[in-house]
Amino acid sequence: MGKIARDQHVPEIAASPAFSLAATVDPVARLDGVEAYADLAAMLEARPDISAVALCTPPQVRFGLARAALLAGRDVLLEKPPGVTVAEVHTLERIAAAKGRVLFTAWHSQFAPGIDAAREWLAGRRVTGAEIVWREDVRWSHPGQDWIFEPGGTGVYDPGINALSILTRIIPSDLRVVSAEHDLPGNRAAPIGARLVMATEDGAPVTMDMEFREQGEALWDMVIRTDRGDLTLSKGGAVVSAAGLDISKTGGALPDEYRRIYERFADLVALRRSDVDAAPLQLTADAFLAARWAMADPFEW
Amino acid sequence: MGKIARDQHVPEIAASPAFSLAATVDPVARLDGVEAYADLAAMLEARPDISAVALCTPPQVRFGLARAALLAGRDVLLEKPPGVTVAEVHTLERIAAAKGRVLFTAWHSQFAPGIDAAREWLAGRRVTGAEIVWREDVRWSHPGQDWIFEPGGTGVYDPGINALSILTRIIPSDLRVVSAEHDLPGNRAAPIGARLVMATEDGAPVTMDMEFREQGEALWDMVIRTDRGDLTLSKGGAVVSAAGLDISKTGGALPDEYRRIYERFADLVALRRSDVDAAPLQLTADAFLAARWAMADPFEW
């Protein structure tokens, strides 16, 4: 029942024709008028009729909760990132398949208004390069959330992985990490700034500038260059423009991301099909594997 | 034509009934009496009759060479690790499948004499814990090889991944990284020591102590505890013992690893089947993703 649960999941579940909020699980927080449990095991035990669970915790505790819910026969929606490690996600995928349950890795930025149009526009084009800028003030976006600088919190990749989830969704090529530079505050365990160089399969450079020490408004922008024009994406996927792109398919407000997530989850539950996408987390793990580290000033809120 | 090519690949290709050494590729080094090329593109162009390539380079240049060989219609054996990143390996797997070529990720420690017997003994047992010690003097094992401390060289995980390749092969459970501590020399980009904590799917702890600053003889040992006795593996998989384990199936000398690799590659080529195992590299990437870093003394050879 943290920030993202209250800001997005609770209102979208309330608005969804497919779901209703049967209960919350949180050691402390609760919602007026909604059945509440302090831990997941108690809820799974008490309410066998609850058939689906949305996990909105920090990633460090996600695996154990997801595994317990799947083994108890529940369908599971995972907030992004779907785990601390890629192997965790593959294991959950295997458990879900073995138990016949639905597992959905919900990358909210993939549901931003312009993403489908961008993907369609890029299909059949050859990407010749891309530049991504993903900069924000962590004191504004994650105030006091120490978990983000803990191991597994991934630091500036926590927002950066949203860009990676867009890229892997819309670019018609595999991506791979070529090199990375990470800035590590002396008193933290995850990077506060990062410059990432990736490549498409045939070597087109895809560069990404991530920063948590940005002053002022957040920048969530990308330019994808192709053999037939450039595509520009700004405000995290809310605004997309390119020559020949039907503008009517783009635009809209960011809150719609979570409405679309619950529509997708409802479809998956009805079809009894999982949708597990580990690619953004894989690129993040690969970036950490290939990174050079530089020490940065200690960071305090 | 570096150390591992000369020490292992050349003699095993010479001994193999399935392969013969048609040519070498190296910007400088060559073998007396063997056709030699300075780069792979020239060889692929000049010798369309060469149907298989064994890539024994440091991992940082592996992807481009493997991709070129596959696109030129050749079967490919990759020395360990199969790439700098996991995504690279998945991309090569996709290319091989699309081109109908064989891709083989050769993890030599998986071909150590006792591995099959250990795997068989563990099948059907429940692992309750494991401790791995993988310590050696890098000045002895990789003298002057600066690439090992470069990004993508993975430092002490370069030998450590041999243990991971054994574990993922013989333990009858998925493994996942829980936490890691890495010692980073101030003048290098990859860890010189690491303590890794993993877990089996149901939470049994698997700990690994990796060290490149070991004095004296290398230690490559593991103990795997189960609900029905312990299995001990020493000398990197050459010696395996456990209650009830048929000793006649174990033992032998380390050089046999590469003989078995070329036997396996011959089988795969005959069957037109790839064998791509990214699990050891996945755990390594996950460890880097979840690691805490501590600064260590600068390292010079």
Side-chain angles (χ1 to χ4, degrees):
Chain A
M1 290 310 298
K3 179 167 161 55
I4 197 70
R6 288 169 182 270
D7 287 357
Q8 299 288 348
H9 291 262
V10 169
E12 293 305 340
I13 291 168
S16 166
F19 298 100
S20 62
L21 186 58
T24 64
V25 179
D26 189 296
V28 178
R30 46 192 305 162
L31 289 181
D32 280 352
V34 180
E35 193 174 316
Y37 293 88
D39 68 272
L40 184 67
M43 189 278 274
L44 294 172
E45 173 75 20
R47 294 291 306 268
D49 60 306
I50 293 179
S51 62
V53 173
L55 292 175
C56 310
T57 64
Q60 288 92 341
V61 296
R62 197 83 47 85
F63 175 81
L65 298 173
R67 177 173 179 266
L70 290 169
L71 290 179
R74 318 305 163 98
D75 298 330
V76 173
L77 181 157
L78 298 174
E79 249 296 348
K80 56 80 40 172
V84 171
T85 66
V86 178
E88 277 183 9
V89 181
H90 292 325
T91 296
L92 293 177
E93 186 173 23
R94 197 183 46 63
I95 295 171
K99 297 291 292 183
R101 309 316 302 176
V102 172
L103 180 66
F104 175 33
T105 54
W107 297 97
H108 64 80
S109 292
Q110 292 183 344
F111 293 85
I115 299 304
D116 287 346
R119 176 182 165 93
E120 212 172 287
W121 189 87
L122 285 166
R125 284 180 161 84
R126 192 171 64 80
V127 172
T128 56
E131 295 110 52
I132 296 94
V133 175
W134 223 257
R135 301 173 69 97
E136 65 191 47
D137 180 354
V138 68
R139 292 186 176 91
W140 162 77
S141 62
H142 298 82
Q145 294 180 43
D146 278 321
W147 66 264
I148 209 164
F149 288 116
E150 285 296 294
T154 74
V156 75
Y157 281 83
D158 183 76
I161 206 168
N162 296 336
L164 292 173
S165 76
I166 291 173
L167 281 171
T168 53
R169 174 88 187 136
I170 67 177
I171 286 191
S173 163
D174 287 357
L175 292 174
R176 63 195 155 85
V177 168
V178 175
S179 64
E181 292 176 5
H182 288 180
D183 301 329
L184 183 67
N187 61 338
R188 303 283 173 170
I192 197 164
R195 279 79 53 203
L196 176 61
V197 179
M198 297 179 285
T200 61
E201 193 211 304
D202 61 3
V206 176
T207 64
M208 201 165 147
D209 169 23
M210 285 168 268
E211 184 53 68
F212 252 165
R213 293 162 295 190
E214 182 71 10
Q215 301 297 315
E217 207 171 343
L219 296 169
W220 297 320
D221 301 316
M222 49 179 84
V223 180
I224 300 175
R225 308 186 191 282
T226 81
D227 54 344
R228 289 183 287 137
D230 298 349
L231 179 130
T232 303
L233 189 149
S234 56
K235 298 190 190 297
V239 180
V240 175
S241 67
L245 182 67
D246 182 354
I247 302 292
S248 71
K249 290 186 181 166
T250 70
L254 279 173
D256 279 340
E257 291 181 4
Y258 282 82
R259 181 147 313 172
R260 294 189 180 96
I261 280 175
Y262 276 94
E263 286 167 5
R264 173 74 176 150
F265 191 36
D267 289 347
L268 292 169
V269 166
L271 294 164
R272 307 307 308 151
R273 199 164 68 198
S274 286
D275 179 356
V276 179
D277 178 5
L281 190 58
Q282 183 67 71
L283 288 174
T284 304
D286 284 349
F288 277 66
L289 185 58
R292 261 183 213 285
W293 294 82
M295 283 295 142
D297 288 342
F299 175 79
E300 299 296 350
W301 302 103
Chain B
M1 292 310 297
K3 179 169 160 55
I4 197 69
R6 289 170 182 270
D7 288 356
Q8 298 289 348
H9 290 262
V10 168
E12 292 305 340
I13 290 169
S16 167
F19 297 101
S20 62
L21 185 59
T24 63
V25 178
D26 190 294
V28 178
R30 47 193 302 161
L31 288 180
D32 281 352
V34 180
E35 195 174 314
Y37 292 88
D39 68 90
L40 184 67
M43 188 277 274
L44 294 171
E45 174 74 21
R47 293 291 305 269
D49 60 307
I50 293 178
S51 62
V53 173
L55 292 175
C56 310
T57 65
Q60 288 92 339
V61 296
R62 196 84 46 85
F63 174 81
L65 298 174
R67 177 173 179 264
L70 290 168
L71 290 178
R74 318 306 164 96
D75 298 330
V76 173
L77 180 158
L78 298 173
E79 249 295 349
K80 54 84 29 176
V84 170
T85 66
V86 178
E88 278 182 9
V89 180
H90 291 324
T91 296
L92 292 177
E93 185 172 23
R94 199 183 45 65
I95 296 172
K99 299 290 292 182
R101 308 317 301 177
V102 172
L103 181 65
F104 175 34
T105 55
W107 297 99
H108 65 81
S109 292
Q110 292 184 343
F111 293 85
I115 300 303
D116 287 346
R119 177 182 165 92
E120 211 172 287
W121 189 87
L122 284 166
R125 283 179 162 86
R126 193 172 63 80
V127 171
T128 57
E131 296 110 51
I132 296 94
V133 175
W134 223 257
R135 302 174 67 97
E136 64 190 48
D137 180 354
V138 67
R139 293 186 175 89
W140 161 78
S141 62
H142 298 82
Q145 295 180 44
D146 278 321
W147 66 264
I148 209 164
F149 287 117
E150 285 295 295
T154 72
V156 76
Y157 281 82
D158 182 77
I161 206 169
N162 296 336
L164 292 172
S165 78
I166 292 172
L167 281 171
T168 53
R169 174 88 187 136
I170 67 177
I171 286 191
S173 162
D174 287 356
L175 292 175
R176 61 194 156 86
V177 168
V178 176
S179 65
E181 292 176 3
H182 288 180
D183 302 329
L184 182 67
N187 61 340
R188 303 283 174 170
I192 197 164
R195 278 81 52 205
L196 176 61
V197 179
M198 298 177 286
T200 61
E201 193 209 306
D202 62 2
V206 176
T207 63
M208 200 163 147
D209 170 22
M210 285 169 269
E211 186 52 69
F212 251 165
R213 294 161 295 191
E214 182 71 9
Q215 301 296 314
E217 208 170 344
L219 296 170
W220 297 320
D221 300 317
M222 49 179 84
V223 179
I224 300 174
R225 308 187 191 284
T226 83
D227 55 344
R228 289 184 285 139
D230 298 348
L231 178 127
T232 302
L233 188 148
S234 56
K235 298 189 189 300
V239 180
V240 174
S241 66
L245 182 67
D246 181 352
I247 302 294
S248 71
K249 290 186 182 167
T250 70
L254 277 174
D256 278 340
E257 290 181 4
Y258 281 82
R259 182 148 311 172
R260 293 189 179 98
I261 279 176
Y262 276 94
E263 287 167 4
R264 174 75 177 150
F265 191 36
D267 288 346
L268 293 169
V269 167
L271 294 164
R272 308 307 307 153
R273 200 164 67 197
S274 286
D275 179 355
V276 178
D277 179 4
L281 190 60
Q282 184 67 71
L283 289 174
T284 304
D286 284 347
F288 277 66
L289 185 59
R292 259 183 214 284
W293 295 81
M295 283 295 142
D297 289 341
F299 175 80
E300 300 294 349
W301 302 103

